[in-house]
Amino acid sequence: MNSTIEVRVPDIGDFVDVPVLEVLVRQGDVIAVDEPVVTLESEKATLDVPSTMAGRVLSIAVAPGERVRQGSLLLHLEPPGGSVAERSTVELRTAQERVPQQISGAGLKDLDAGIAQHAGPADAPNRWRIYASPSVRRLARELKVDLCAAKGSGRAGRVLAQDVHGLASRASELIAHTDAPPATAATSPSRNSNFERFGAIERQPLSRIQRISGPRLARTWSSIPHVTNFAEADVTELERFRTTVNAENSSEPKLTMLSFLVKACAATLKHYPAFNASLEGEEIVMKKYVHIGVAVDTNGGLVVPVIRDADKLGIMEIASDLTAKAAAARAGELRSTDMEGGCFTISSLGGIGSMGFTPIINAPELAILGVGTARLQPIWDGAQFSPRLMIPLALSWDHRALDGVAAARFLVHLATLLADFRRVLL
Ligand code: CAO
């Protein structure tokens, strides 16, 4: 008898003990290397975990609701060209019998942190048995269609994209999407508002990003004492330098104001490390690395890719990383690892047009910088008014760990660097 191949969870970054949202393969499926086999969902994002091996699926070791981490067993495969029919039959039956137990959390194997605390959605066993490709499952999630309600028109009852679209168009028949974060009073206003009384309305579902980030933002906003300090920085010389370099060097990447802001913030965080930290219980966790998140607006909502080690990167490297990550964000191709580990976030509305705003801290970070639109202003230089390009800055910070004096110093330092970028080298 040939030996079976074990497929385990590869290195998936900070996803530790996160629940399986969906199993994307069935017994008997022939899968290739890199084909997604399960979807995990953390508070921040969903992640399709690819198979590290190819072969025919003999048994599935996880079920929706079960928590996994790097190294957790996912599947047993029959090697390509191999034949382990006898074992396959036994494992197939065993796995099928085990599913209800796994969903209820009883008799699960120890996964370090152990037994799943989170029971899967009520219909998880059925959803698990549904025959649909990862893209169709993703489509169903986006359209909030419950796959259980779908009648597969494909071969062997496979649910196709057209089946999902058909269900979505019959909105009244839809069964509520079951993997949305639990509603709370803070995140789910009453549905009985009866706006129809005042005129025509149309109800639109929240996007997946909004459903995930909304409750998180509400929690952050209501649990962290936010204060926002405002300042302006003179970026006249910096803008002159930026446009000169861009004119000289037409090849990509374009130097953006945001790239300079990332670098200047990284230098300021090094200077004031209290801002490069997180609060955990009664401890402040000081970070020795400087990873900076940048808010990017996408069709589905706001995402925050992270520029790693921004303090060590040159401006060109930051510009090129930013361009690539903003493009990936808009194409919906960011990996979860692109969005984790941030120490501080920058949210710029400057290119769109904004005087100022009070950004919400991206917890567990301690502060976030909001950037408005730079405008030419008459600034008194002691002898006369001169036209200077001034950029508005807003720093929101966590008053449990920081204070107003620290925030004012942080902004003064940042503004000084932006006014004379040579100081970043000091
Ligand atoms: N003031 C004036 N002009 C600015 C500026 C500023 N602060 N920042 C950028 N601009 C100008 C640039 O000069 C550029 O013009 P040119 O093409 O003539 O050079 C143009 O705006 C576009 O700038 P950019 O390519 O550098 O892009 P950006 O930095 O403005 O934005 C990104 C990049 C990804 C941050 C942006 O596309 C985005 O998604 N912003 C939204 C962020 C957001 O949603 N924040 C959340 C707010 S709270 O919900």
Side-chain angles (χ1 to χ4, degrees):
M1 183 192 293
N2 289 346
S3 59
T4 57
I5 301 171
E6 289 184 343
V7 176
R8 293 180 177 273
V9 177
D11 180 1
I12 48 173
D14 279 356
F15 276 70
V16 176
D17 296 332
V18 285
V20 173
L21 181 68
E22 287 187 281
V23 177
L24 304 173
V25 293
R26 296 198 324 169
Q27 261 109 17
D29 281 358
V30 175
I31 61 169
V33 173
D34 281 345
E35 190 166 328
V37 290
V38 294
T39 303
L40 308 181
E41 184 150 34
S42 75
E43 276 198 347
K44 284 189 279 187
T46 58
L47 169 72
D48 284 347
V49 176
S51 176
T52 48
M53 311 293 285
R56 180 182 301 277
V57 179
L58 293 177
S59 65
I60 298 170
V62 289
E66 189 168 354
R67 288 175 184 263
V68 296
R69 51 165 57 198
Q70 183 178 352
S72 300
L73 181 64
L74 295 175
L75 308 172
H76 280 110
L77 299 182
E78 178 189 55
S83 165
V84 283
E86 209 184 314
R87 179 165 177 180
S88 159
T89 312
V90 172
E91 290 190 349
L92 194 149
R93 199 172 51 237
T94 313
Q96 282 173 339
E97 283 160 1
R98 198 174 54 207
V99 169
Q101 269 192 324
Q102 288 177 323
I103 299 302
S104 69
L108 292 181
K109 62 187 175 298
D110 191 346
L111 285 169
D112 281 353
I115 309 291
Q117 299 296 314
H118 161 93
D123 64 347
N126 292 332
R127 295 175 72 204
W128 183 76
R129 289 197 182 101
I130 285 163
Y131 196 19
S133 70
S135 61
V136 168
R137 288 172 186 276
R138 195 169 300 123
L139 178 68
R141 286 203 299 273
E142 294 295 340
L143 296 179
K144 292 189 163 190
V145 166
D146 189 327
L147 279 177
C148 292
K151 199 159 177 229
S153 62
R155 193 168 55 85
R158 195 180 183 98
V159 179
L160 306 178
Q162 67 206 47
D163 304 324
V164 173
H165 281 299
L167 262 183
S169 65
R170 299 200 310 274
S172 60
E173 290 171 30
L174 298 189
I175 297 168
H177 192 56
T178 50
D179 59 357
T184 66
T187 61
S188 178
S190 160
R191 292 239 15 203
N192 298 322
S193 24
N194 249 338
F195 297 111
E196 293 87 343
R197 282 185 301 144
F198 309 110
I201 61 160
E202 178 191 324
R203 292 191 186 271
Q204 293 181 345
L206 290 177
S207 70
R208 191 175 63 78
I209 292 174
Q210 287 171 319
R211 280 186 289 119
I212 293 172
S213 64
R216 206 165 155 254
L217 284 165
R219 255 196 325 272
T220 307
W221 179 245
S222 54
S223 64
I224 295 180
H226 281 68
V227 182
T228 306
N229 286 34
F230 300 92
E232 280 183 323
D234 184 337
V235 289
T236 316
E237 301 309 328
L238 183 55
E239 181 63 5
R240 195 168 291 147
F241 174 68
R242 189 184 80 84
T243 46
T244 306
V245 174
N246 278 339
E248 285 168 4
N249 181 9
S250 56
S251 63
E252 294 290 316
K254 185 179 88 167
L255 278 186
T256 62
M257 182 56 77
L258 197 51
S259 319
F260 287 98
L261 282 159
V262 168
K263 187 70 188 172
C265 283
T268 308
L269 288 166
K270 296 283 276 188
H271 199 77
Y272 291 110
F275 286 79
N276 197 45
S278 284
L279 190 58
E280 270 194 356
E282 297 191 350
E283 278 181 349
I284 306 261
V285 182
M286 307 294 290
K287 295 165 190 169
K288 306 294 182 193
Y289 51 86
V290 184
H291 301 337
I292 296 192
V294 175
V296 175
D297 181 42
T298 73
N299 285 341
L302 194 65
V303 290
V304 185
V306 172
I307 310 295
R308 296 198 179 269
D309 298 312
D311 56 321
K312 302 196 178 89
L313 297 179
I315 302 287
M316 283 292 185
E317 290 171 306
I318 292 174
S320 127
D321 200 11
L322 257 176
T323 308
K325 288 198 168 127
R330 292 193 170 121
E333 287 168 359
L334 276 182
R335 295 162 301 174
S336 64
T337 46
D338 292 330
M339 292 182 279
E340 61 193 18
C343 309
F344 180 89
T345 295
I346 302 177
S347 177
S348 173
L349 293 176
I352 300 165
S354 180
M355 279 285 285
F357 60 106
T358 53
I360 298 179
I361 295 164
N362 190 12
E365 298 166 14
L366 291 183
I368 179 169
L369 183 76
V371 181
T373 304
R375 289 183 313 140
L376 267 183
Q377 291 182 41
I379 301 294
W380 184 251
D381 66 7
Q384 58 182 355
F385 283 103
S386 319
R388 308 295 298 178
L389 187 66
M390 306 299 290
I391 194 166
L393 306 172
L395 183 75
S396 294
W397 45 276
D398 184 339
H399 211 332
R400 296 171 304 173
L402 299 164
D403 59 40
V405 171
R409 288 193 175 126
F410 185 98
L411 277 178
V412 167
H413 190 83
L414 178 62
T416 307
L417 298 186
L418 292 170
D420 184 351
F421 216 79
R422 293 171 304 178
R423 291 179 184 276
V424 171
L425 300 172
L426 297 177

